[in-house]
Each structure stands twice: as structure tokens, then as C-alpha cells.
Amino acid sequence: MSDQQTITIDGREVPFTEGQTIMDAALAAEVYVPHLCHNPEFVPHGSCRLCVVKVNGRFQSACTAPAAAGQVIDNSSDEIMDMRRTLLQMLFVEGNHVCPACEKSGRCQLQALAYYTGMLSPHFTHFFPLRRIDASHPDVVLDFNRCILCELCVRASRDVDKKNVFGITGRGINAKLIVNAASGKLGDTGFSVEDKAFHVCPVGAILPKHKGFEVPIGERLYDQQPISVVGDVAAHDEENAHA
Ligand code: SF4
Ligand code: FES
């Protein structure tokens, strides 16, 4: 008899090893748990809450909750999906997300999750925040309007690239992404399209200059299959970069 420890996600037994989170175990077993601020290559951040699941009847973030033997996890009930949809609606109104005009459309995890959860409208009143676009870098456009404050670029630039180009300042509604340069401009940093931080943004906030809309509508990543099957756009970008 196997002594492999397991958790149960939506009725399916999923093995885990000591130290894994529920998200780790789920992804290893190819069970999709929605997420935006999580990327398996980085320590969990636990900020977007899209990975909310019910563990033995209690809400928890799958990316930070340790897997423990016998857990019974709800990852797909109407209650959970409603909660995720509401979180997405809040993200959509808090920034300026103009999907039809966005270069990342069809490859954006925020948009793909809206489709996945069946979000049909923003529901809440738009904030329409005044945010700038930083086009000071020769190869990259930084559009603060689309930033969802997942901190993946912050973690990648600090922990992998060792450049510390990005930071988050302020709290709650006043939180915002900043560029660590005296001018506050990306062009005055050592940021490069070779950087890990260039490839991790789940939305269209960090984009390449000089090219856009190269893949026709209908052939983009999430046009082909839903995010629950295809997974994170960052992983695909990384694959393409090394192809
Ligand atoms: Fe996340 Fe992108 Fe904003 Fe960086 S720019 S915090 S990766 S959404
Ligand atoms: Fe778990 Fe963002 S993916 S909180």
C-alpha cells in the first residue's frame, strides 16, 4: 500500500509532498487553480486572492495554504467561482483595462480569467484612475493603467535579475507600482528585454515596443484554449524566448 499523502480537490485525490502548498500540489497534478499573483518560480505572494478555495469548509488562498493530509478542497463550486468573479470585477474597475485596444488581448491572464469565470460585466463603478504611461525606455512601454499590483515584476527584478527596477509604494487603494530611478522613468534604469521581469507580467503593463498585434484574433494563446488548459502566459513567453 502506498504511503503517499493526498488531498482531495473537487473529489479528485491529489498527492502532495511535505512543504508543498495546495497550489503546488494542484499544479503538479495538472489541476487548475486560478491565480494571478502566483508563478511557481517565485515565493508565493498571496495578494490577488484569485486562488481562493474552501478547505474543510474554510476559505483559504491555495498559493499560501500548506497541503495537509485529508484536506477536502472545493475549487469550483458556484460560491467559489462567484467570489473569484467579484475579485476580477474589482480588478477591472480599479485600473483602466481596455481589452480590445490592448496588445496583450488574447494573451492576458486577467482577461482569460474573466472568460474562465464567466464574468459578463464589470458590475462595479469604474474608478478611471489617472495613471501615466512610461515610454522612456527604448524597447519597452510601461503602462501603469493595466498594472494589477501582483508584484511579479518586483520579485523577478529583485530576486532573479538582481536589478531591483520595480517597487510598490503605498497601501490599499493608494498602492502603486514605481520605478526605482531618481526620475521614476524606466529608461533611466538598467531594465532590459532580456530580464526575467520583462517576461512575468500577467497583464499588458510591460510590453515590447516596435511590434504589436502580431498574432491575428482567433489565433492568440487564449483564443485556442482556456487558461485552465493552457496555463500561464508567462510560461509560454518563456518557452518562445528560448525556442
Ligand atoms: Fe504585476 Fe505587471 Fe504590475 Fe508588475 S507591471 S506588478 S508584473 S501587473
Ligand atoms: Fe494566490 Fe494570488 S494566486 S493570492
Side-chain angles (χ1 to χ4, degrees):
M1 199 174 85
S2 165
D3 58 359
Q4 174 74 67
Q5 302 196 91
T6 61
I7 55 180
T8 306
I9 304 180
D10 293 337
R12 179 177 156 187
E13 283 219 6
V14 169
F16 72 95
T17 53
E18 212 57 44
Q20 279 190 315
T21 61
I22 292 170
M23 179 71 80
D24 293 334
L27 292 181
E30 298 187 355
V31 173
Y32 180 66
V33 179
H35 53 276
L36 280 173
C37 73
H38 184 67
N39 176 322
E41 294 183 56
F42 299 93
V43 286
H45 191 240
S47 61
C48 76
R49 305 290 170 202
L50 254 296
C51 66
V52 64
V53 290
K54 221 168 183 180
V55 184
N56 298 338
R58 290 185 51 206
F59 294 113
Q60 297 203 38
S61 298
C63 71
T64 52
Q71 284 171 332
V72 176
I73 296 163
D74 165 15
N75 178 42
S76 61
S77 66
D78 288 348
E79 183 184 26
I80 290 292
M81 293 303 267
D82 281 350
M83 198 170 291
R84 290 172 179 158
R85 204 176 302 115
T86 301
L87 289 165
L88 287 166
Q89 287 169 322
M90 290 160 76
L91 283 172
F92 267 94
V93 301
E94 186 269 341
N96 298 311
H97 300 280
V98 192
C99 295
C102 180
E103 147 66 15
K104 199 72 175 271
S105 187
R107 295 173 53 252
C108 168
Q109 285 174 233
L110 179 68
Q111 182 193 47
L113 276 173
Y115 281 121
Y116 176 73
T117 59
M119 183 188 132
L120 296 177
S121 78
H123 180 72
F124 301 108
T125 304
H126 279 281
F127 287 21
F128 293 124
L130 279 175
R131 294 193 197 156
R132 62 195 174 90
I133 295 173
D134 181 345
S136 60
H137 193 283
D139 303 317
V140 181
V141 177
L142 180 58
D143 189 342
F144 292 91
N145 290 287
R146 298 166 182 164
C147 177
I148 56 167
L149 301 173
C150 70
E151 290 202 29
L152 276 167
C153 62
V154 177
R155 286 176 274 167
S157 186
R158 182 191 61 212
D159 302 339
V160 180
D161 305 325
K162 309 292 182 195
K163 292 185 179 177
N164 210 21
V165 167
F166 300 102
I168 301 282
T169 182
R171 297 177 71 86
I173 196 78
N174 295 315
K176 62 177 183 181
L177 182 71
I178 55 165
V179 170
N180 290 320
S183 63
K185 292 186 175 170
L186 195 62
D188 291 332
T189 69
F191 192 65
S192 155
V193 292
E194 307 296 323
D195 289 0
K196 182 78 176 173
F198 177 71
H199 297 278
V200 293
C201 185
V203 293
I206 302 176
L207 290 173
K209 276 185 176 176
H210 316 303
K211 62 176 182 179
F213 304 100
E214 286 188 313
V215 182
I217 293 172
E219 296 175 25
R220 303 165 306 183
L221 183 67
Y222 299 131
D223 291 337
Q224 309 287 338
Q225 285 182 300
I227 192 169
S228 54
V229 176
V230 180
D232 297 358
V233 69
H236 288 265
D237 282 354
E238 200 79 342
E239 272 172 30
N240 293 339
H242 297 114

